[in-house]
């Protein structure tokens, strides 16, 4: 029994080392569109989706046989938001450095793998505000917030990746400041991101 356990351990270790050795590590550039909306804790707000943009670089690590891996990006993001507050339109254009880290599963479809390969992804995004914190004398953007992503995509000709993801804010991105009728109202980011990436 002990010999069998040793043999199994050696086999597992050799398979793991061979998968790691053949794993693909790639670098790429990525750009796209971000559709942002804020989810408010107050019921008197009507936020609407507005388009922003995003661009940056990414790295991807994939184990070929099983298709599991991850990608890590550093992205500049412009999030444009507007909402109605007592029939008054408020606009907030925020700049972030986003760092999304996604677990990615590339689905094995033998007949078309070299042409098109679908994938699923999920993971956190860490956002660092680079624009001003306070605006409109009543609102304050948080310097840091996090979201969780759920996405899908397709890899074409082993280099071009087209993806779409929806992100749900897990922390507060914005809050009211000062003594106003909207005191203690908070907003969480919720956004769609559609990107194209080319991996070398």
């Amino acid at each position: 029994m002990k010999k069998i356990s040793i043999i199994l351990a050696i086999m597992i270790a050799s398979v793991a080392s061979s998968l790691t050795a053949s794993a693909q590590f790639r670098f790429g550039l990525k750009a796209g569109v971000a559709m942002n909306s804020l989810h408010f804790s107050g019921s008197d707000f009507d936020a609407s989706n507005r388009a922003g943009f995003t661009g940056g670089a990414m790295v991807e690590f994939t184990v070929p046989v099983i298709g599991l891996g991850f990608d890590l990006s550093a992205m500049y993001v412009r999030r444009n938001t507007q909402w109605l507050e007592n029939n008054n339109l408020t606009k907030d254009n925020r700049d972030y450095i986003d760092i999304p880290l996604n677990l990615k599963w590339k689905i094995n479809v033998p007949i078309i793998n070299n042409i098109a390969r679908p994938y699923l992804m999920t993971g956190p995004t860490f956002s660092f505000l680079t624009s001003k914190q306070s605006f409109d004398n009543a609102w304050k953007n948080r310097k840091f917030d996090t979201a969780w992503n759920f996405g899908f995509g397709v890899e074409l000709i082993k280099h071009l990746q087209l993806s779409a993801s929806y992100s749900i804010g897990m922390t507060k991105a914005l809050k009211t400041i000062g003594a106003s009728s909207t005191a203690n109202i908070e907003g969480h980011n919720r956004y769609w991101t559609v990107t194209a990436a080319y991996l070398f």
Side-chain angles (χ1 to χ4, degrees), residues 136-150:
D136 203 29
N137 299 317
W139 296 90
K140 185 176 183 179
N141 291 310
R142 301 271 185 169
K143 288 184 176 180
F144 173 79
D145 72 271
T146 59
W148 195 270
N149 315 311
F150 302 90

Side-chain angles (χ1 to χ4, degrees), residues 16-119:
S17 62
S18 64
L19 287 176
T20 303
S22 62
Q24 297 176 342
F25 186 82
R26 300 190 294 170
F27 167 82
L29 299 176
K30 183 162 64 171
V33 177
M35 292 289 296
N36 186 67
S37 180
L38 282 166
H39 178 71
F40 286 101
S41 58
S43 60
D44 296 332
F45 292 83
D46 181 19
S48 60
N49 291 329
R50 293 194 69 208
F53 56 89
T54 182
M58 66 175 284
V59 292
E60 180 190 76
F61 176 88
T62 308
V63 179
V65 177
I66 57 177
L68 278 177
F70 68 86
D71 68 41
L72 176 67
S73 304
M75 307 291 292
Y76 167 79
V77 184
R78 162 62 64 92
R79 293 198 176 101
N80 298 324
T81 309
Q82 66 180 28
W83 64 89
L84 284 175
E85 176 189 350
N86 301 321
N87 293 322
N88 294 319
L89 184 65
T90 300
K91 295 182 179 181
D92 180 24
N93 301 324
R94 291 164 291 151
D95 299 322
Y96 288 90
I97 297 297
D98 274 11
I99 301 179
L101 174 60
N102 288 308
L103 176 68
K104 183 183 284 185
W105 176 43
K106 293 184 180 180
I107 302 167
N108 191 21
V109 187
I111 299 174
I112 63 169
N113 265 357
N114 290 334
I115 301 169
R117 191 172 185 184
Y119 58 85

Side-chain angles (χ1 to χ4, degrees), residues 175-188:
K175 69 173 184 176
T176 52
I177 55 177
S180 70
S181 60
T182 57
N184 300 320
I185 301 297
E186 297 162 340
H188 292 73

